[in-house]
Amino acid sequence: MAITFSDLHTESGVKSLDQYLSGKSYISGNQLTKDDIKVYAAVLVKPADSFPNASRWYDSVSSHIAPSFPGKAVGVRVDGKGAPVDAAPAKPAAAGGGDDDDLDLFGDETEEDKKAAEEREAAKKQSSKKKESGKSSVLLDVKPWDDETDMKKLEEAVRSVEMPGLFWGASKLVPVGYGIKKMQIMITIVDDLVSVDSLIEEHLTVEPCNEYVQSCDIVAFNKI
């Protein structure tokens, strides 16, 4: 059954969208579809934080769309009322229908569309291969606050940091003195995706990791 959203330029319209998206990733399932694009186009600005489901969905759709439009946007605003948005796939227009209102911008793909999509996917795969070609192996020294720091909790906190291109490896505890031990841990990174300095400054030495981690240093850095 078709799902209809109305007045998405108003707070009440965005509220209904937010309620619908509760517990859902996208409009029609767990993957981005043309339904999401239709609704996204009708939402004039990113929903406020008071609509967390709609705001999260808007960011997710934006992240999928952005790579297809590499040009620099100057920013525009669109005012005015929007027509209700039907989230069901549009039916092809009847033969001989020449009304502009019947134009389906999100209808079935043409052969040219399919070919263009295949070329984009091939380009993405090629780009991914190039990015992954540059990797480095890094050895980190992770130091606790004192001899009472739970080193198992410290390691769990460190390994809980996840990001694209970061792979945690083997670790070991090394005595420092006065009953204190530090953890040495290996990581492998994709150079174009991970900055070790940012990993340390923005993840390993701030909350929640800094409950256990006093400092973190690079011991060795080798290109693979």
Side-chain angles (χ1 to χ4, degrees):
M1 180 181 292
I3 304 162
T4 300
F5 299 99
S6 300
D7 301 322
L8 290 176
H9 61 290
T10 67
E11 183 173 347
S12 60
V14 174
K15 182 178 180 180
S16 66
L17 174 63
D18 184 78
Q19 292 173 341
Y20 174 79
L21 288 169
S22 177
K24 298 181 177 67
S25 298
Y26 296 99
I27 299 296
S28 301
N30 295 321
Q31 291 184 325
L32 185 72
T33 67
K34 291 178 182 179
D35 291 344
D36 296 279
I37 304 302
K38 283 186 177 181
V39 178
Y40 180 90
V43 179
L44 301 185
V45 295
K46 178 183 174 180
D49 292 339
S50 55
F51 304 109
N53 301 314
S55 179
R56 169 185 49 75
W57 165 83
Y58 190 96
D59 285 340
S60 178
V61 177
S62 295
S63 67
H64 282 83
I65 293 176
S68 300
F69 302 92
K72 183 178 180 181
V74 297
V76 296
R77 288 187 62 84
V78 180
D79 295 318
K81 295 184 177 179
V85 179
D86 187 345
K91 296 180 179 180
D99 253 343
D100 288 342
D101 291 341
D102 292 333
L103 180 60
D104 182 10
L105 297 178
F106 302 93
D108 294 336
E109 289 183 324
T110 64
E111 288 301 321
E112 291 181 356
D113 291 335
K114 291 180 181 178
K115 184 177 180 181
E118 290 173 356
E119 291 175 352
R120 286 196 299 271
E121 286 300 319
K124 286 181 182 178
K125 290 180 181 179
Q126 187 63 28
S127 175
S128 297
K129 289 180 181 179
K130 290 180 180 178
K131 285 185 178 180
E132 293 178 359
S133 63
K135 294 183 179 181
S136 297
S137 177
V138 185
L139 178 63
L140 298 177
D141 258 356
V142 184
K143 300 173 184 176
W145 287 102
D146 51 40
D147 61 338
E148 296 183 357
T149 300
D150 188 327
M151 297 304 290
K152 288 185 178 180
K153 294 286 187 180
L154 180 145
E155 181 173 359
E156 290 175 1
V158 168
R159 290 184 182 275
S160 70
V161 177
E162 297 180 353
M163 61 179 66
L166 171 64
F167 306 95
W168 295 103
S171 66
K172 66 178 181 179
L173 297 180
V174 180
V176 176
Y178 303 100
I180 300 175
K181 294 181 180 181
K182 65 182 179 180
M183 181 180 73
Q184 288 191 335
I185 187 167
M186 291 292 301
I187 62 172
T188 300
I189 62 171
V190 177
D191 297 332
D192 292 340
L193 300 179
V194 179
S195 163
V196 180
D197 289 337
S198 296
L199 171 64
I200 293 173
E201 296 171 4
E202 300 175 11
H203 297 278
L204 297 180
T205 55
V206 298
E207 292 183 351
C209 289
N210 66 356
E211 180 179 351
Y212 308 100
V213 178
Q214 188 260 345
S215 64
C216 185
D217 301 300
I218 300 173
V219 179
F221 195 116
N222 299 297
K223 296 289 185 182
I224 299 176

